[in-house]
């Protein structure tokens, strides 16, 4: 079994999510109009739930279920369940557990553009620096020259377990 190390305490996680919620609330007020927060399932559910408690702006909430990994192996993104909300002329915030290669966010950004979203913002708990997403919102940025596998706080290990850990760990 792989060893795991907690990288963010529950207290630090709560503070960072609260701060990000304040930042995104300000963005919502800046954009105005219709705002839709979309959770990327399965991994984004814990972060999404915690984050929404800090958004002080009337928003719509929806979910999209997709997958891009089979264990440790990355595969082509598959959308299993799409949103129900009409995002035409609205701002969409895509909330996911991790932005690593950017593949999921690229596909979903194009998907929401095709659905008529006027503005799209990307948000994740963990961010592996990606130049295609220089304006990305996040709570934890991985250190350069690291490439760990993260588990907990909605993220699963290669066997599909560990999503229920309430903090973020790396293997």
């Amino acid at each position: 079994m792989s060893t795991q190390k907690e990288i963010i305490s529950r207290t630090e996680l709560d503070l960072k999510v609260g701060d990000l919620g304040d930042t995104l609330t300000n963005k919502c007020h800046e954009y105005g109009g219709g705002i839709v927060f979309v959770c990327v399932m399965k991994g984004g559910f814990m972060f999404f739930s915690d984050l929404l408690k800090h958004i002080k702006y009337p928003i719509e909430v929806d979910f999209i279920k997709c997958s891009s990994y089979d264990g440790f192996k990355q595969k082509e993104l598959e959308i299993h369940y799409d949103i129900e909300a009409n995002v035409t002329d609205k701002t969409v915030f895509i909330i996911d557990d991790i932005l690593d290669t950017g593949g999921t966010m690229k596909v979903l950004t194009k998907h929401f553009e095709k659905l008529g979203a006027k503005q799209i913002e990307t948000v994740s708990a963990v961010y592996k620096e990606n130049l295609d997403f220089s304006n990305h919102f996040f709570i934890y940025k991985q250190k350069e020259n690291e490439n760990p596998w993260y588990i907990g706080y909605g993220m699963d290990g290669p066997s599909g377990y560990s999503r229920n850990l309430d903090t973020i760990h790396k293997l």
Side-chain angles (χ1 to χ4, degrees):
M1 181 174 178
S2 299
T3 59
Q4 62 189 47
K5 179 184 176 193
E6 182 180 88
I7 59 170
I8 300 178
S9 71
R10 186 68 233 182
T11 301
E12 185 180 7
L13 195 58
D14 290 340
L15 289 170
K16 287 179 177 275
V17 171
D19 289 345
L20 181 57
D22 293 343
T23 299
L24 297 182
T25 294
N26 291 337
K27 277 290 189 191
C28 290
H29 285 284
E30 179 184 319
Y31 294 139
I35 308 280
V36 182
F37 275 60
V38 176
C39 177
V40 180
M41 299 294 283
K42 298 179 184 173
F45 78 97
M46 276 189 166
F47 176 48
F48 187 74
S49 174
D50 286 349
L51 183 62
L52 291 188
K53 296 169 190 169
H54 298 280
I55 304 299
K56 308 301 183 217
Y57 187 91
I59 60 169
E60 290 181 71
V61 172
D62 212 332
F63 302 87
I64 189 165
K65 184 178 178 190
C66 53
S67 59
S68 61
Y69 280 91
D70 184 9
F72 284 122
K73 185 179 179 199
Q74 191 161 25
K75 62 180 186 175
E76 185 174 329
L77 183 78
E78 296 176 57
I79 295 177
H80 305 288
Y81 174 82
D82 206 347
I83 62 168
E84 296 174 353
N86 178 352
V87 297
T88 302
D89 295 325
K90 296 179 182 175
T91 299
V92 174
F93 287 81
I94 306 169
I95 317 296
D96 202 359
D97 54 356
I98 186 168
L99 189 149
D100 49 13
T101 66
T104 298
M105 288 295 188
K106 285 177 189 172
V107 170
L108 292 180
T109 297
K110 287 179 185 172
H111 178 69
F112 291 121
E113 285 171 352
K114 286 180 186 174
L115 293 176
K118 73 174 180 182
Q119 176 80 30
I120 300 168
E121 296 288 355
T122 59
V123 184
S124 66
V126 175
Y127 176 58
K128 295 183 179 182
E129 190 166 2
N130 186 311
L131 298 177
D132 292 333
F133 293 92
S134 58
N135 294 322
H136 183 75
F137 296 98
F138 58 91
I139 58 171
Y140 177 80
K141 182 177 178 182
Q142 105 172 3
K143 294 175 176 64
E144 287 187 41
N145 302 320
E146 277 191 352
N147 196 25
W149 188 271
Y150 297 96
I151 60 170
Y153 203 53
M155 295 173 270
D156 65 339
S159 61
Y161 295 101
S162 302
R163 288 188 193 276
N164 59 315
L165 297 172
D166 71 346
T167 58
I168 300 172
H169 300 252
K170 66 179 178 179
L171 295 180

